Amino acid sequence: TIPLNYSNDYYVGVIADYGNNIVESDETNNAGVGGLLDVVEADLTAAVTSQPDSALTGETIQVGATISNSGGQGGPFYVGLYLSSDMTITTSDVRIGTLYVPSGIGAETSLPVTINGTIPLNYSNDYYVGVIADYSNHTVESEETNNAGVGGLLEVVATDLTSAVTSQPDSALTGKTIQVGATISN
């Protein structure tokens, strides 16, 4: 079995009696070498497949994505969900959610995922939604620069509280509790 985080060309070799359990007349001729083996690494890419059009600050959203591997078997990795002011999604953008893929993705397969993320309270504007497969670079890949996928714009609406008094007494005595009705709206 090829280890998951190997990448390069390797010679294939065999050793007869590698533990030296058998006494032989010549112990120096037990190794044989074959040719070079090209070990193909994983190559993860990400694409946003669904997202909401708008969200409120502090709200949790769900974003659908497909993570694909066009290379060899990859190890476990994290997928990050990001908000960006532009269409270039990087780890410098604001990560609002994370999903762990413990078993990695098999060679030449795709995995649909759903990632939850919470909109920061101090955000209000339009932001691009994006995902980055293996944002922490845990999986060795043949290409490390193609892991991000961008979706569409998400309108983030900030909270806007208003209040109005709906009922109150006409008079009150000092030291007494009064009841005031109000409507608070967002």
Side-chain angles (χ1 to χ4, degrees):
T1 302
I2 306 296
L4 289 179
N5 286 324
Y6 267 50
S7 64
N8 215 332
D9 291 339
Y10 295 93
Y11 284 97
V12 175
V14 296
I15 299 175
D17 189 31
Y18 67 90
N20 290 324
N21 294 322
I22 298 173
V23 176
E24 300 177 58
S25 60
D26 184 355
E27 293 283 356
T28 64
N29 64 354
N30 291 8
V33 66
L36 275 176
L37 175 68
D38 180 22
V39 176
V40 179
E41 307 90 356
D43 184 18
L44 302 176
T45 58
V48 174
T49 57
S50 65
Q51 72 175 69
D53 294 328
S54 64
L56 300 173
T57 58
E59 182 179 8
T60 298
I61 62 170
Q62 285 190 336
V63 173
T66 299
I67 309 302
S68 299
N69 179 5
S70 61
Q73 171 72 37
F77 62 92
Y78 288 91
V79 179
L81 174 60
Y82 293 84
L83 294 181
S84 177
S85 60
D86 58 38
M87 292 183 73
T88 303
I89 308 300
T90 70
T91 56
S92 298
D93 292 319
V94 176
R95 190 174 72 230
I96 62 169
T98 301
L99 176 72
Y100 183 56
V101 182
S103 59
I105 297 180
E108 299 181 356
T109 60
S110 294
L111 177 69
V113 297
T114 301
I115 309 166
N116 294 323
T118 302
I119 306 298
L121 291 175
N122 59 344
Y123 270 55
S124 66
N125 209 334
D126 291 344
Y127 297 94
Y128 287 95
V129 174
V131 293
I132 301 177
D134 192 32
Y135 67 85
S136 56
N137 292 323
H138 279 31
T139 297
V140 174
E141 298 181 63
S142 59
E143 177 63 52
E144 293 283 0
T145 62
N146 63 349
N147 292 20
V150 64
L153 279 174
L154 174 71
E155 178 187 15
V156 176
V157 180
T159 301
D160 184 14
L161 299 177
T162 60
S163 59
V165 174
T166 57
S167 64
Q168 71 180 55
D170 291 331
S171 63
L173 298 173
T174 60
K176 295 293 182 176
T177 301
I178 65 169
Q179 203 169 32
V180 176
T183 300
I184 308 298
S185 300
N186 180 4

